[in-house]
Amino acid sequence: MSIEPDWENILFEARVAITDNPRFNDWYGTLPSLVRQLLDEILDHEVTPAIICLAQECSEEDWEKNMFIQALGNGNPSPTAANDLTDVVLGLVPWSLG
């Protein structure tokens, strides 16, 4: 019998770690509006097919600069994968912070 991970707590802690990063506010202020919109979505919600589609609309430059956008844009839109993909994407945001 496998125990289901406590996704609510796991994702909450990841989101807090991102927004508590000392470089977050400066970095966030430099983001283009579409990237900022994606980040706001992923900080507030689990990944959805709409968020994946939005990530796919990013410019090539934003795609290359932000690993979390690549993970979103290449993500599986299946609802059964939403928590896993959200966790992966949140784990990649700090790499974009520098």
Side-chain angles (χ1 to χ4, degrees):
M1 180 172 88
S2 67
I3 298 173
E4 182 69 23
D6 181 2
W7 283 113
E8 185 176 337
N9 191 46
I10 291 168
L11 298 176
F12 174 78
E13 287 179 11
R15 289 174 170 119
V16 168
I18 291 166
T19 56
D20 283 354
N21 184 300
R23 293 183 292 250
F24 178 79
N25 289 331
D26 289 337
W27 173 74
Y28 184 85
T30 66
L31 297 176
S33 61
L34 183 56
V35 176
R36 191 176 303 148
Q37 181 182 355
L38 280 167
L39 184 60
D40 289 344
E41 287 292 325
I42 199 67
L43 288 174
D44 290 339
H45 309 285
E46 277 65 45
V47 173
T48 65
I51 294 173
I52 291 171
C53 289
L54 191 60
Q56 293 170 347
E57 294 176 17
C58 283
S59 70
E60 185 175 332
E61 179 182 355
D62 290 335
W63 184 274
E64 294 297 322
K65 288 170 62 175
N66 298 284
M67 290 174 59
F68 77 95
I69 292 175
Q70 294 172 37
L72 277 171
N74 289 321
N76 178 348
S78 169
T80 59
N83 286 330
D84 289 329
L85 182 56
T86 302
D87 187 43
V88 167
V89 170
L90 289 171
L92 291 172
V93 170
W95 290 99
S96 296
L97 287 166

